[in-house]
Amino acid sequence: MKRVRMRRLKVEKRTNPSAWTVFCISLVSILLAFVVIGFIFLGFGINPLEAYLEIIIETVGNSYGLSQIVWQSIPLLLCGVGLLLAFKTSFWNIGAEGQLLMGATAATWVALFSPLPEPFLIPAAFILGFAGGAVWGLLSTSLRSRFGINEVITTLMMNYIASNIVLYLIHGPWKGETMRGFAYTDQFPESVWLPTIGMSDIHWPTLLLGLFAAVCVFFILNRTRLGYEVKVVGQSPKAARYAGISYFKTIFYVMVISGGLAGLAGAGEVLGVHHMLRHSDQVSLGYGYTAIIVAWLARGNPLIVILTSLLFGAIYVAGDVLQLSFNLPFQIVNVFTGLILFFLISSDTLLKHKLSFRKGE
Amino acid sequence: MEEKKKNTPLISMRSVIKTFGGVRANDGIDIDIYGGEVHAILGENGAGKTTLMNILSGIYRADSGEFILRGSPVSIKTPKDAIRRGIVMVHQHFRLIGPHTVAENVALGLSVPFISPLKGIERTIEEFSARYNLLVHPRARICDLSVGEQQRVEIVKALIRGAEILILDEPTSVLTPQETKELFWILERMKEENKAVIFITHKLEEVLEVSDRITILRRGRVTASMPALDVKKAGRKAKEDLAKKMVGREVLLSIEKKPVAKSQPVLEVKDLRVEDDRGHETVRGLSFDVCRGEVFGIVGVAGNGQNQLVEALFGLRPATGGTITVRGDTGYIPEDRMGMGSVGELTLSENCILTGYKNSCFGTGIFFDLAYIREYTEALVCKFSVTAPSISAPAKQLSGGNLQRLILARELSRNTSLLIAEQPTHGLDVGSIEYVWKFLLEQRKNAGILLLSNDLGEVLALSDRIGVLYRGTLTLFDQPFEDKEEQIGMKMTGL
């Protein structure tokens, strides 16, 4: 009888994957997602290579595409940095979408109804936007601390409540008189429109806030007592109790920042892009949800969120390209992000385990 | 022929070795289990009883060792292998699904028909219940049953799976005396059917009542094995001997203990009462004090109220009665050094400031002084000779001994007036044990030390006074301990 040589898959625990390993595995899982999306293109009767070529030319291939990527990445950056901080605490905030909308609502109130003098309007709109998002996030933390309700459910549900509040306002009390029956608020006075860079749509004050937030959260995590509490609570609630760290105090501060940054993103969208409050699906193209993947992909480093938010900004722009050039529905973006998340989460096993082949008899 | 059958063990284990991260949980164990016998395996927590049984039932795989089932060698790689060979374990924490019914839980893992899968099972359950007088209703939901009834479900489950060798891990720890009696009746019944029962426990008295053979494990080795009848006949002296073999002192190392001047008390506890999570009072009116300059050792088999006592002292659990007075700060070396005493994902320097991170020396306001923290860690790592790749390596890369040195370094350097050390050398190698002991004794100069351990040898070596904790009450012993060793050992086992 012939002796059969078998190769067996050996699974070993990986204690500490290097940054390079993490980068490679993440990259491969994103590429795998693109391969699967290629089949979806085939299903629409489109040559995937042609589609990808078109996407590359229209996104990173010209200055307009590049500016669109940056523009789309702004809300993702702000929400992503905030979510990363919450995830570090193991507080699963799925509610950036609602926090963004409440930030947009608060900023709208400042822009349209506040009695403040003109030069204070934009800063006040950002401050209230931050507060709006923070308060919306804190509702979930108080439900958690008061009744022990899981934050995944409450933060998710609060998204729908926020969305409906926006719809109520634009159909009801805030409905614009100059809008001929459309469900928008009135347009903001031009003095509260955010300045943009040159001919592009990039509203740079929000972008700056986003970059500043990434750096701040990086410092909070690495240099401050709050950051330390965040890491201990996130890794081991038992050790946190032992060290005398209050869980609820920690998630309180974390959600002020996390919700507040999403609120800033919302303020930036209404002040810098729409110049009015409109349907919640138009104010946010699912930024709060996409930011979950943006934060996840950054693997705990807020500075990397700057890169990952650009990647997903590019995917949004790619969705526009597919819509214009190939008549695909814009929802294809959700398929993109969904598949990328799927592969990223699967790749986590590879980060924690090392696979190798060994010869067996 | 009959005689021969009786003399062949149902299963024999030969030189079973199992190592967990450098600690030998099982260090070459030989045991023979015979049909028609209840075989008690006695030992303290951490002696390796549960590990051995997990190996036998296929949950762990031994590093080396042999299993001989009815005279022929077998290999047991998975729980399925074990069940196929008639080896079933009833775990200390039951493997049942609360909201499901008895029948559904029993059916889990059995091959049942696709259509009306529970019909046959329900009938089988009723048959077995009648045969063994195990009254459980197949349609009752698990969460509505008492702990004793849940255990019966586990036993029915095991019998339906065709158990020839039934392993019970600490079966009486959750039972009322009446339920224990019923359990013993069932065991008798199983013996009549020539099945083998392996009974894991640390309660000496009840073992004598029910078992035919007793094996004692200590630190992963068999220290004694004998028929229970011999012990019963020989009376009190033999019991004392067993207790000593189980918790008794093993002269691994000796340590020189210089007396330190004792001064004012740093901890005073009066009539302390504490309940566990289920609302049972596990600390029942304790009174003691700890003075600066002494080690007060509390010794006892695990589960006699130690956890609740420490949690109450450290302020993690409210006391239901009595008073605790601490003069100054409390340092605490927890038993669970991986889950509580350190955070595996964080670096060594981050772990070094776990209990003192609010201290102003580590930085002003909200900011940390990272340079000083690094310096501080370097100094601790050096002084306590922690072997680590670097101070920015995650703590999970440290071995057990080095991790404990790090925790010890952190807690001793805080210079608190009271230090609680809970199982400070559990699972460590001899070198690290000596190290920890030396530093604990050293610390008496600045602090009062409360030592909790279930290793009598350790408590005898370190303590100036000893309290034995049994079922939430304390019996105090004063120096000299030399002639009280046996007395203390007996108190620990409740004799």
Side-chain angles (χ1 to χ4, degrees):
Chain A
M1 212 177 101
K2 210 174 131 190
R3 221 182 121 136
V4 187
R5 261 218 194 139
M6 257 177 45
R7 304 196 113 203
R8 273 198 223 145
L9 199 59
K10 197 169 133 193
V11 184
E12 279 175 297
K13 268 212 172 135
R14 206 200 289 264
T15 41
N16 222 21
S18 67
W20 177 242
T21 320
V22 175
F23 176 75
C24 286
I25 289 178
S26 305
L27 192 68
V28 167
S29 44
I30 292 172
L31 288 178
L32 278 174
F34 283 138
V35 171
V36 174
I37 294 158
F39 284 102
I40 293 171
F41 290 151
L42 276 179
F44 279 101
I46 300 164
N47 180 351
L49 292 177
E50 210 176 293
Y52 282 127
L53 193 67
E54 179 77 12
I55 288 173
I56 290 169
I57 292 171
E58 293 295 326
T59 54
V60 292
N62 62 62
S63 60
Y64 176 72
L66 284 172
S67 79
Q68 286 287 299
I69 292 176
V70 175
W71 171 65
Q72 287 280 18
S73 74
I74 295 171
L76 295 175
L77 173 59
L78 277 162
C79 293
V81 168
L83 289 183
L84 182 131
L85 186 65
F87 295 166
K88 270 261 179 193
T89 330
S90 292
F91 189 81
W92 306 110
N93 176 16
I94 311 297
E97 184 79 3
Q99 291 144 21
L100 181 150
L101 290 174
M102 291 321 280
T105 307
T108 301
W109 180 83
V110 174
L112 290 179
F113 307 110
S114 79
L116 287 170
E118 249 177 37
F120 297 112
L121 278 177
I122 289 179
F126 272 121
I127 291 169
L128 251 80
F130 185 93
V135 167
W136 208 243
L138 287 178
L139 289 176
S140 295
T141 57
S142 60
L143 284 171
R144 169 81 195 238
S145 57
R146 188 70 48 102
F147 304 109
I149 302 172
N150 188 312
E151 71 274 7
V152 174
I153 293 163
T154 55
T155 50
L156 183 65
M157 291 307 176
M158 299 286 276
N159 289 343
Y160 299 107
I161 299 174
S163 171
N164 281 307
I165 287 175
V166 169
L167 291 184
Y168 165 73
L169 288 173
I170 60 173
H171 282 104
W174 287 7
K175 189 169 174 176
E177 276 149 26
T178 59
M179 285 301 170
R180 293 189 209 129
F182 284 106
Y184 305 139
T185 62
D186 281 324
Q187 200 164 52
F188 298 169
E190 280 196 38
S191 57
V192 292
W193 293 17
L194 293 178
T196 54
I197 300 178
M199 294 294 288
S200 73
D201 295 326
I202 302 169
H203 40 112
W204 58 265
T206 329
L207 179 61
L208 272 187
L209 280 174
L211 294 172
F212 181 67
V215 174
C216 269
V217 170
F218 181 82
F219 271 94
I220 288 174
L221 281 174
N222 292 297
R223 295 284 158 89
T224 68
R225 291 190 159 87
L226 175 63
Y228 184 74
E229 288 164 350
V230 161
K231 285 187 276 189
V232 176
V233 167
Q235 290 294 339
S236 168
K238 217 169 150 191
R241 250 161 57 93
Y242 165 63
I245 299 170
S246 158
Y247 175 76
F248 293 117
K249 218 162 127 190
T250 310
I251 60 169
F252 175 86
Y253 289 124
V254 163
M255 277 312 284
V256 165
I257 297 171
S258 184
L261 290 179
L264 283 184
E269 288 303 292
V270 288
L271 299 175
V273 180
H274 305 289
H275 308 133
M276 62 173 82
L277 189 66
R278 55 208 297 190
H279 194 288
S280 45
D281 289 350
Q282 289 169 307
V283 173
S284 170
L285 303 170
Y287 295 129
Y289 296 112
T290 306
I292 297 170
I293 317 172
V294 169
W296 192 283
L297 186 56
R299 311 265 183 207
N301 186 338
L303 297 180
I304 293 181
V305 176
I306 298 170
L307 294 178
T308 56
S309 62
L310 283 171
L311 172 71
F312 280 85
I315 287 172
Y316 272 101
V317 180
D320 283 334
V321 173
L322 291 170
Q323 198 175 11
L324 290 173
S325 308
F326 299 99
N327 279 325
L328 288 178
F330 184 74
Q331 278 70 17
I332 193 86
V333 167
N334 295 335
V335 180
F336 263 77
T337 50
L339 279 167
I340 290 176
L341 181 64
F342 177 83
F343 278 97
L344 278 178
I345 291 176
S346 317
S347 75
D348 247 32
T349 320
L350 281 176
L351 284 180
K352 286 180 190 137
H353 298 92
K354 200 166 146 188
L355 300 181
S356 57
F357 289 101
R358 68 169 171 202
K359 282 179 189 155
E361 64 277 13
Chain B
M1 185 69 204
E2 188 58 43
E3 190 58 28
K4 189 174 179 239
K5 199 178 160 198
K6 205 166 181 307
N7 283 341
T8 316
L10 206 47
I11 191 156
S12 304
M13 291 174 257
R14 289 281 169 270
S15 15
V16 176
I17 294 177
K18 177 77 187 174
T19 313
F20 288 112
V23 179
R24 281 226 163 154
N26 286 168
D27 195 1
I29 292 181
D30 296 321
I31 290 182
D32 293 321
I33 310 286
Y34 294 88
E37 276 190 6
V38 175
H39 193 134
I41 297 186
L42 265 165
E44 323 170 77
N45 280 59
K49 301 167 294 189
T50 305
T51 305
L52 182 69
M53 290 307 121
N54 277 333
I55 290 171
L56 184 59
S57 58
I59 292 169
Y60 297 154
R61 282 181 72 174
D63 299 340
S64 66
E66 245 188 302
F67 298 92
I68 301 145
L69 186 74
R70 293 193 180 86
S72 50
V74 289
S75 74
I76 300 167
K77 287 178 188 153
T78 62
K80 234 182 181 159
D81 282 352
I83 291 170
R84 216 177 50 226
R85 304 201 154 97
I87 304 167
V88 187
M89 180 157 172
V90 174
H91 292 266
Q92 191 175 3
H93 304 284
F94 303 139
R95 308 292 207 256
L96 296 171
I97 302 163
H100 286 198
T101 66
V102 171
E104 284 166 336
N105 271 283
V106 171
L108 199 66
L110 291 177
S111 53
V112 289
F114 185 72
I115 293 165
S116 63
L118 297 177
K119 220 169 158 190
I121 295 286
E122 285 178 4
R123 219 175 311 123
T124 322
I125 292 173
E126 274 159 9
E127 266 168 42
F128 273 88
S129 301
R131 198 158 112 210
Y132 290 97
N133 200 19
L134 290 159
L135 298 169
V136 284
H137 195 280
R139 296 234 175 121
R141 290 202 306 169
I142 294 295
C143 52
D144 299 332
L145 301 180
S146 75
V147 184
E149 287 170 319
Q150 290 184 16
Q151 186 180 56
R152 269 177 248 164
V153 175
E154 281 279 29
I155 293 174
V156 168
K157 215 170 100 182
L159 292 172
I160 290 179
R161 274 164 179 68
E164 287 298 316
I165 301 168
L166 181 71
I167 306 166
L168 300 170
D169 191 1
E170 303 275 356
T172 56
S173 59
V174 291
L175 301 184
T176 62
Q178 180 56 32
E179 285 172 328
T180 306
K181 258 191 206 127
E182 284 167 20
L183 175 70
F184 288 173
W185 188 89
I186 296 161
L187 298 188
E188 287 298 326
R189 193 69 220 265
M190 291 186 68
K191 266 164 68 177
E192 282 165 26
E193 296 186 5
N194 211 31
K195 294 180 196 293
V197 177
I198 302 176
F199 189 103
I200 302 176
T201 182
H202 54 241
K203 291 183 189 154
L204 192 52
E205 198 64 23
E206 69 182 27
V207 156
L208 289 172
E209 192 179 326
V210 71
S211 54
D212 303 291
R213 187 172 287 275
I214 298 172
T215 296
I216 297 178
L217 289 192
R218 179 165 163 76
R219 288 183 193 256
R221 288 170 183 229
V222 175
T223 51
S225 188
M226 70 207 71
L229 214 58
D230 293 2
V231 184
K232 272 186 240 176
K233 268 192 229 148
R236 193 162 177 83
K237 181 80 189 83
K239 284 186 206 168
E240 281 171 18
D241 198 44
L242 274 187
K244 210 162 115 192
K245 280 193 174 122
M246 186 174 133
V247 294
R249 173 143 85 137
E250 207 169 306
V251 188
L252 277 175
L253 44 108
S254 57
I255 186 154
E256 200 190 343
K257 195 168 89 185
K258 287 184 203 128
V260 170
K262 210 168 121 175
S263 58
Q264 84 277 20
V266 288
L267 171 70
E268 279 174 285
V269 176
K270 282 214 177 71
D271 194 36
L272 180 67
R273 290 173 186 277
V274 190
E275 287 176 357
D276 68 5
D277 290 334
R278 288 178 302 175
H280 292 301
E281 190 173 82
T282 50
V283 175
R284 301 171 182 169
L286 290 195
S287 297
F288 61 91
D289 57 12
V290 181
C291 299
R292 189 184 298 268
E294 72 165 349
V295 174
F296 179 62
I298 291 186
V299 65
V301 177
N304 278 297
Q306 288 95 329
N307 292 346
Q308 287 76 30
L309 171 63
V310 172
E311 284 179 357
L313 291 179
F314 196 62
L316 297 177
R317 182 181 286 276
T320 46
T323 56
I324 300 169
T325 320
V326 186
R327 291 197 184 80
D329 293 329
T330 309
Y332 174 29
I333 299 170
E335 177 181 7
D336 180 6
R337 55 186 83 113
M338 303 274 236
M340 193 176 200
S342 67
V343 185
E345 299 291 329
L346 297 190
T347 65
L348 255 59
S349 40
E350 286 171 320
N351 272 291
C352 267
I353 57 171
L354 186 61
T355 44
Y357 80 100
K358 283 178 187 151
N359 198 318
S360 60
C361 71
F362 295 126
T364 44
I366 62 164
F367 293 104
F368 275 140
D369 181 351
L370 290 187
Y372 177 72
I373 292 174
R374 227 172 289 133
E375 238 171 73
Y376 180 80
T377 311
E378 297 275 13
L380 286 195
V381 164
C382 181
K383 186 180 167 201
F384 287 80
S385 26
V386 180
T387 314
S390 96
I391 60 162
S392 47
K396 65 180 175 186
Q397 285 184 0
L398 295 185
S399 70
N402 279 308
L403 187 62
Q404 188 68 335
R405 283 175 195 214
L406 188 77
I407 294 170
L408 191 75
R410 182 183 68 210
E411 295 308 308
L412 295 187
S413 305
R414 288 175 61 211
N415 263 322
T416 53
S417 55
L418 172 68
L419 180 68
I420 302 173
E422 189 183 11
Q423 299 275 58
T425 60
H426 180 235
L428 300 189
D429 57 279
V430 179
S432 295
I433 292 176
E434 193 180 1
Y435 204 88
V436 172
W437 284 7
K438 201 181 89 196
F439 272 98
L440 283 179
L441 288 177
E442 186 88 357
Q443 195 71 3
R444 285 184 302 167
K445 284 175 195 153
N446 312 316
I449 294 168
L450 177 64
L451 169 72
L452 287 103
S453 176
N454 44 37
D455 185 341
L456 181 55
E458 173 166 78
V459 172
L460 286 171
L462 298 183
S463 308
D464 299 289
R465 285 183 301 138
I466 291 178
V468 175
L469 191 62
Y470 182 75
R471 297 201 172 192
T473 54
L474 209 56
T475 317
L476 296 176
F477 290 89
D478 263 322
Q479 268 177 328
F481 303 129
E482 279 71 31
D483 52 336
K484 294 182 188 137
E485 218 172 284
E486 273 165 27
Q487 231 179 316
I488 294 172
M490 301 264 286
K491 267 273 175 284
M492 282 172 73
T493 46
L495 289 172

